[in-house]
């Protein structure tokens, strides 16, 4: 099943995001990080890679119904593709989306429609992949990624307020994944 879900996710992401070259580059970089960290997840490794490939699908212009990409992407995957519920939950809630949803007045809607997945390491792993990848798909630190987002959007913007609130949680997720990776036998 693993290779099939990865191919399926890649095809959908490429179809929807290739018109957005920088977003597509970021998505490919996040998926590459997912492959690199997948050994800490065992049977959920393929789910992580698929979620990494699809996490920003909601940025595709034709899918932007609410303008909040985690919600738009999750709805697209659920409604048009009947995607696995855990995959949809990961996309909907990636990188502390509930905090941004709160800034947008969409927290209750997101939480009711797509409850947070109760698999902390899997959730952390997607945060790690997203927040250690630049907009151009290169590797970075979570601290530099948060600083880049703040500088791009501005501290007083909706995204700036969200990322400042989320930063401690992002850094903690990255630390937990790095600890899990360090504990893996070589």
């Amino acid at each position: 099943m693993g290779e099939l879900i990865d191919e399926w996710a890649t095809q959908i992401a490429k179809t929807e995001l290739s018109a957005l070259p920088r977003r597509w580059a970021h998505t490919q970089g996040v998926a590459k990080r997912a492959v690199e960290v997948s050994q800490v997840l065992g049977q959920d490794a393929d789910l992580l890679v698929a979620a990494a490939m699809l996490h920003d699908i909601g940025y595709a212009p034709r899918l932007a119904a609410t303008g909040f990409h985690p919600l738009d992407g999750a709805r697209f995957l659920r409604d048009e593709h009947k995607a696995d519920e855990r995959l949809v939950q990961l996309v909907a809630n990636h990188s502390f989306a509930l905090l941004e949803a709160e800034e947008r007045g969409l927290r209750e809607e997101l939480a009711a429609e797509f409850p947070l997945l109760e698999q902390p390491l899997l959730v952390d792993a997607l945060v790690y992949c997203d927040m250690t990848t630049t907009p151009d798909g290169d590797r970075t630190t979570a601290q530099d990624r948060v600083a880049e987002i703040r500088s791009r959007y501005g501290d007083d913007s909706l995204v700036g307020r969200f990322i400042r609130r989320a930063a401690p949680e992002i850094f903690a997720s990255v630390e937990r994944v790095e600890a899990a990776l360090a504990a893996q036998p070589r």
Side-chain angles (χ1 to χ4, degrees), residues 95-96 99 124 127 131 142-143 146-147 150 160-176:
S95 300
F96 301 99
L99 294 176
D124 282 346
V127 171
M131 291 296 152
Q143 290 76 10
V146 167
R150 289 178 67 181
R161 290 189 308 271
F162 149 68
I163 203 67
R164 283 195 330 263
R165 287 179 61 205
E169 299 297 331
I170 290 166
F171 300 151
S173 284
V174 169
E175 287 174 11
R176 287 188 294 267

Side-chain angles (χ1 to χ4, degrees), residues 99-184:
L99 294 176
E100 186 174 345
E102 189 173 303
E103 292 284 335
R104 294 174 178 272
L106 294 169
R107 183 183 176 97
E108 289 76 25
E109 191 172 342
L110 180 65
E113 204 168 327
F114 302 105
L116 189 60
L117 190 63
E118 296 295 329
Q119 291 185 259
L121 185 57
L122 182 55
V123 170
D124 282 346
L126 185 54
V127 171
Y128 172 90
C129 296
D130 188 19
M131 291 296 152
T132 61
T133 304
T134 70
D136 297 309
D138 298 319
R139 183 182 304 279
T140 190
T141 66
Q143 290 76 10
D144 285 348
R145 176 80 163 116
V146 167
E148 180 276 323
I149 292 168
R150 289 178 67 181
S151 126
R152 183 166 24 124
Y153 287 94
D155 277 340
D156 294 328
S157 70
L158 185 147
V159 174
R161 290 189 308 271
F162 149 68
I163 203 67
R164 283 195 330 263
R165 287 179 61 205
E169 299 297 331
I170 290 166
F171 300 151
S173 284
V174 169
E175 287 174 11
R176 287 188 294 267
V177 172
E178 288 172 344
L181 288 167
Q184 286 290 303

